[in-house]
Amino acid sequence: MKFVDEFRDPQKARILLQEIEGLVKRIPVCRDRPIWIMEVCGGHTHTIFRYGLNKMLPKEVEFIHGPGCPVCVLPRGRVDDCIALAERDEVIMTTFGDAMRVTGLKKNLLQAKAEGADVRMVYSPLDALNLARLNPEREVVFFGLGFETTMPSTALTLLQAREEGINNFSIFCNHITIIPTIKAILDSPDLQLDGFLGPGHVSMVIGTKPYSFIAEYYRKPITIAGFEPLDILQSVWMVLKQLAEGRCEVENQYTRIVPPDGNMQALQAIQEVFELREFFEWRGLGSIDHSGVRVREEFSAFDAERKFPLPNLKIADPTSCQCGEVLKGVIKPSQCKVFGTTCTPQNPLGALMVSTEGACAAYYNYGWIPEEDLHPAKSPV
Amino acid sequence: MLNRTTNDERITMAHGSGGKAMRALIEDLLVPTFNNSLLDTLEDQATIPLRELLQHGDRLAFTTDSYVVDPLFFPGGNIGELAVNGTVNDLAVSGARPLFLSCGLVIEEGFPLDTLTLIVEAMKHAADRADVSIVTGDTKVVEKGSADKLFINTAGIGVIREGVSIAATNAQPGDAVITNGFIGDHGVAILLARNELALEADVQSDTQPVHDLISHMLDVCSQIHCLRDATRGGLATVLNEYASASNVSIQINEPQVPIRESVRGACEILGLDPLYLANEGKIVAVVPYENAHELIKAMRDHPLGKHSAIIGRVNSSPAGIVILATTFGGTRIVDTLVGDQLPRIC
């Protein structure tokens, strides 16, 4: 495929891997321990496992799988609020596909649907708005979630709804924002990491400048990375190069998509519709100040939290889960005491097992294969 | 077309009541369309002479499946063709010659009679193409809202030729894994036909009967070890079934797996894995490696096997595991899917 296969060229990968091996030898820390690079974004986690990049890189380079899967980090209380909304007779609850499997205290939206709730999968908030137009006697609620990547489309949809005077449409806002989250991770006392792969899609909206504190204050290199396997390898190479040269900068590998100043139109829409919450709860990480957004007062007619009463319960993470330690790189997913036993993709106990982009689900689904069990000599043709 | 004895344009509860309307539906639509002497008798069962069955082999294959696809019509086919081809294929992958089918219709009250006629005619067309007869059936009408438009159940019997022994437990280390062409077409065609996506792609369902291709394969290689059609759950699910049942490992090579550009493109946008997409005319076989190249050559001579390919090998370990060697040079496990594939948020 044009503009895709170019970024999956195995020959170019081999060249990059050779250069990475050369760089690793120049980084002093490698003599004592691996280099820990956090990929913030769930899309990166997915690519790393889908293409087996973790097994292609030298053993001195280890990925720490960050909090960038917005489905994974949604706390159970918010999911239960969403289910309570969906179970109202007048409500058509609309949501993205993978959000339907996130479990609250007792069930997820798929189970609520099976019990009779009107839950529909949509591919964009505009589809949800269209459902509102087609069902004027019902209230269509859009389960809005995601980082700055998906925030603009929710904001623009809400602006469209206001312009058209649609009064049976609202959003249940669970959007989160990336910068306070990275800061909370960096402030964690037990953090173990040497550099970041910055989120490509989020950066398409916010640009590269908001990350400068990571390099300047926390002295960690960060490279904004694309999502194809060559993007990731090149970004790893760029982070390692900074480490080898003793630099800490914000670099942009994903220049074909990410402008330094971001997307002004998208940022304006976000600014017009949303405001920061004082704090927001995350699965595995606890409460993080100013890490979530809510709908502004001026748009309260489109805010499901203001339109409907919600249980609004705080439900603690299961004590057996070690998601927080995985997110901070203290342990690997497979080292969690419930990984693959009481916590599986079929029955996710912890946040990171919920979506295919969660680190634990990726470990579980794509697994780990001992080298001696691979049979390259028996290729089919 | 239906020579109606009533003026009904839509199915009513009366069409399932056992009375005159139901009789008219059967006699005016189903019997003349399916058109065979076994059905014409309108007994409660079809009576099949054993002598005729024994001409084709020494064991009976018997299967059933229900079809609840939405939408009923999609690029490349409709529920009627699917209901015939699916059951024909379930028989064929045992090495059987499919012979007779039943047809159970569950129709929602209010369903347009013209649409039902189109679907029944499509079933007849598919049955003729597969050289099978629809010899018995059942019609039920349920109240509006109790079913989604139309469900079809088909059961089928066929006869397995002598000397053929195909089972998921038969895969052996060293065997080759082959398929007859592009995977994922049906899954993407259905997704696009639902009109829920702002996506356009020229992808047609691959619904087709594969019994003739399989017969052709058995002529070349009677020792096919495993054979299934990759329907729901796709290629990945079938391979996991083989690996688990035979206690072997299967390694497939991504560049060798035939996938259309348009299917790859749709999967990229939606965050879906084509290995798990449904197919309706694709088989996955495990065969002795020494026969594989000759078999592929023969399959490519058949209209349904033009894009056949060897896609992988069977190994002894890690037992029960399917591994994908990626185009990019890495490897990963291809596990059985948990529930349906759901498009990612971003």
Side-chain angles (χ1 to χ4, degrees):
Chain A
M1 273 182 299
K2 191 84 180 139
F3 307 126
V4 172
D5 290 339
E6 293 90 334
F7 298 95
R8 297 178 186 178
D9 182 340
Q11 288 201 330
K12 286 181 182 152
R14 272 193 288 276
I15 295 166
L16 264 171
L17 284 165
Q18 277 172 6
E19 292 203 21
I20 285 171
E21 277 179 28
L23 273 176
V24 161
K25 293 191 182 101
R26 290 169 50 197
I27 301 172
V29 71
C30 291
R31 290 172 205 136
D32 308 319
R33 62 164 177 81
I35 301 161
W36 290 305
I37 298 176
M38 174 178 277
E39 86 279 7
V40 176
C41 182
H44 288 154
T45 310
H46 190 79
T47 302
I48 287 164
F49 282 94
R50 184 175 171 193
Y51 293 94
L53 302 185
N54 50 331
K55 293 194 282 277
M56 296 170 78
L57 282 161
K59 64 181 188 314
E60 290 86 356
V61 178
E62 280 190 8
F63 288 111
I64 308 295
H65 314 293
C69 168
V71 170
C72 291
V73 294
L74 203 63
R76 295 195 293 178
R78 297 294 290 182
V79 177
D80 280 351
D81 285 349
C82 185
I83 289 167
L85 274 171
E87 287 177 339
R88 295 180 72 92
D89 286 342
E90 72 272 38
V91 165
I92 299 173
M93 177 58 72
T94 56
T95 180
F96 295 125
D98 55 357
M100 294 175 81
R101 234 184 333 241
V102 196
T103 308
L105 187 60
K106 289 186 181 154
K107 59 187 164 187
N108 59 30
L109 281 170
L110 279 175
Q111 289 161 319
K113 182 171 186 274
E115 290 169 13
D118 192 347
V119 181
R120 305 191 196 181
M121 187 170 69
V122 292
Y123 295 87
S124 104
L126 281 172
D127 295 340
L129 184 61
N130 199 37
L131 267 176
R133 291 188 194 103
L134 296 171
N135 296 275
E137 76 292 355
R138 306 281 303 278
E139 172 74 20
V140 175
V141 180
F142 176 66
F143 183 19
L145 74 169
F147 286 98
E148 282 87 346
T149 315
T150 51
M151 226 185 272
S153 61
T154 309
L156 289 164
T157 303
L158 222 150
L159 289 169
Q160 178 79 26
R162 185 178 69 168
E163 193 179 315
E164 290 183 35
I166 295 174
N167 58 13
N168 64 327
F169 177 75
S170 55
I171 70 159
F172 178 50
C173 182
N174 290 276
H175 283 294
I176 43 184
T177 179
I178 195 77
I179 296 298
T181 314
I182 295 179
K183 189 169 181 307
I185 289 169
L186 282 163
D187 284 336
S188 171
D190 50 357
L191 177 77
Q192 297 184 0
L193 62 87
D194 299 299
F196 285 97
L197 298 189
H201 290 150
V202 166
S203 308
M204 174 178 71
V205 176
I206 69 172
T208 60
K209 289 176 183 165
Y211 302 105
S212 56
F213 74 99
I214 297 171
E216 289 164 14
Y217 184 77
Y218 291 94
R219 307 300 299 160
K220 305 282 184 196
I222 174 169
T223 300
I224 312 303
F227 293 86
E228 291 299 328
L230 276 183
D231 287 327
I232 304 256
L233 286 187
Q234 190 185 15
S235 301
V236 168
W237 176 81
M238 289 166 77
V239 168
L240 293 176
K241 195 155 189 298
Q242 287 201 50
L243 287 170
E245 293 170 1
R247 289 184 291 120
C248 293
E249 294 168 19
V250 181
E251 291 186 323
N252 185 6
Q253 181 275 336
Y254 205 27
T255 49
R256 66 185 187 276
I257 299 288
V258 175
D261 294 321
N263 182 325
M264 289 315 293
Q265 205 178 357
L267 288 168
Q268 275 167 9
I270 290 173
Q271 184 66 27
E272 186 172 356
V273 172
F274 299 118
E275 62 185 359
L276 287 176
R277 295 177 192 262
E278 277 183 43
F279 56 87
F280 195 73
E281 197 75 21
W282 293 58
R283 270 200 204 195
L285 291 174
S287 179
I288 300 177
D289 293 352
H290 303 119
S291 63
V293 301
R294 64 171 163 243
V295 175
R296 285 185 185 277
E297 178 76 35
E298 304 92 280
F299 292 89
S300 56
F302 301 96
D303 184 0
E305 283 182 79
R306 290 182 171 103
K307 264 181 147 171
F308 301 100
L310 292 173
N312 207 13
L313 295 175
K314 299 269 180 290
I315 301 164
D317 290 327
T319 50
S320 50
C321 278
Q322 295 178 277
C323 291
E325 288 158 272
V326 174
L327 282 170
K328 287 179 279 191
V330 180
I331 61 168
K332 292 274 177 202
S334 52
Q335 292 170 319
C336 172
K337 54 195 172 198
V338 290
F339 177 85
T341 53
T342 49
C343 185
T344 63
Q346 291 93 326
N347 185 24
L349 202 59
L352 301 176
M353 194 62 94
V354 173
S355 160
T356 54
E357 296 191 354
C360 294
Y363 259 67
Y364 189 95
N365 288 326
Y366 292 141
W368 177 80
I369 312 157
E371 284 304 315
E372 60 271 23
D373 282 335
L374 295 175
H375 302 264
K378 289 185 180 176
S379 62
V381 287
Chain B
M1 277 296 283
L2 175 61
N3 179 20
R4 288 176 192 159
T5 55
T6 72
N7 291 323
D8 293 331
E9 291 184 352
R10 291 182 178 273
I11 295 292
T12 66
M13 293 305 291
H15 288 108
S17 67
K20 283 184 179 175
M22 182 168 157
R23 186 91 186 169
L25 181 70
I26 292 169
E27 291 188 351
D28 295 349
L29 175 62
L30 300 174
V31 172
T33 308
F34 292 153
N35 185 28
N36 61 76
S37 58
L38 291 176
L39 182 63
D40 286 348
T41 62
L42 283 181
E43 295 292 344
D44 284 346
Q45 74 297 120
T47 308
I48 299 162
L50 291 175
R51 195 179 300 114
E52 187 181 330
L53 299 181
L54 286 168
Q55 289 169 3
H56 300 288
D58 60 355
R59 282 155 296 156
L60 202 62
F62 175 38
T63 188
T64 184
D65 206 344
S66 299
Y67 298 84
V68 295
V69 64
D70 178 34
L72 300 176
F73 292 82
F74 45 82
N78 62 56
I79 189 172
E81 286 175 69
L82 211 56
V84 171
N85 291 339
T87 293
V88 163
N89 291 346
D90 283 348
L91 293 169
V93 291
S94 69
R97 161 84 189 268
L99 292 168
F100 301 105
L101 302 190
S102 71
C103 164
L105 301 171
V106 178
I107 314 169
E108 187 185 17
E109 179 186 19
F111 192 73
L113 203 51
D114 284 348
T115 311
L116 183 65
T117 305
L118 283 176
I119 289 167
V120 169
E121 285 172 347
M123 290 185 79
K124 169 63 175 168
H125 177 74
D128 287 347
R129 185 180 176 198
D131 201 18
V132 296
S133 301
I134 299 170
V135 294
T136 186
D138 178 52
T139 303
K140 293 282 187 297
V141 178
V142 296
E143 285 183 12
K144 185 97 181 159
S146 297
D148 186 11
K149 301 183 278 291
L150 175 68
F151 300 154
I152 302 178
N153 171 273
T154 47
I157 57 172
V159 180
I160 303 171
R161 67 163 85 174
E162 285 180 52
V164 169
S165 174
I166 299 170
T169 50
N170 286 350
Q172 293 170 19
D175 282 353
V177 181
I178 63 179
T179 186
N180 65 318
F182 295 110
I183 63 157
D185 291 2
H186 179 73
V188 167
I190 295 290
L191 267 176
L192 299 183
R194 284 184 185 149
N195 286 327
E196 291 168 353
L197 310 170
L199 271 183
E200 285 183 19
D202 183 21
V203 182
Q204 306 263 315
S205 167
D206 56 352
T207 179
Q208 55 191 351
V210 293
H211 66 293
D212 193 55
L213 172 68
I214 291 170
S215 176
H216 192 59
M217 289 166 67
L218 286 168
D219 290 343
V220 177
C221 172
S222 62
Q223 295 308 306
I224 293 174
H225 289 158
C226 313
L227 185 58
R228 283 193 177 167
D229 54 339
T231 53
R232 272 180 310 167
L235 175 65
T237 300
V238 173
L239 294 175
N240 271 285
E241 287 166 356
Y242 292 164
S244 172
S246 296
N247 204 32
V248 293
S249 176
I250 293 177
Q251 180 165 327
I252 55 168
N253 281 11
E254 195 172 27
Q256 270 83 49
V257 178
I259 303 172
R260 283 183 207 282
E261 284 291 288
S262 47
V263 169
R264 275 183 69 203
C267 286
E268 285 296 326
I269 290 167
L270 297 170
L272 303 178
D273 188 338
L275 298 180
Y276 295 96
L277 286 177
N279 308 275
E280 286 298 341
K282 292 297 159 358
I283 52 170
V284 185
V286 173
V287 300
Y289 188 73
E290 55 271 27
N291 300 120
H293 288 90
E294 187 191 2
L295 195 54
I296 288 292
K297 193 166 172 288
M299 288 169 75
R300 286 179 180 164
D301 288 339
H302 191 279
L304 302 189
K306 280 181 188 162
H307 303 284
S308 297
I310 301 174
I311 58 170
R313 298 290 298 272
V314 177
N315 298 307
S316 54
S317 64
I321 300 291
V322 178
I323 295 165
L324 177 78
T326 71
T327 308
F328 198 62
T331 53
R332 68 168 164 96
I333 288 177
V334 179
D335 201 3
T336 307
L337 200 61
V338 180
D340 287 332
Q341 283 200 97
L342 297 173
R344 294 203 309 269
I345 177 174
C346 60

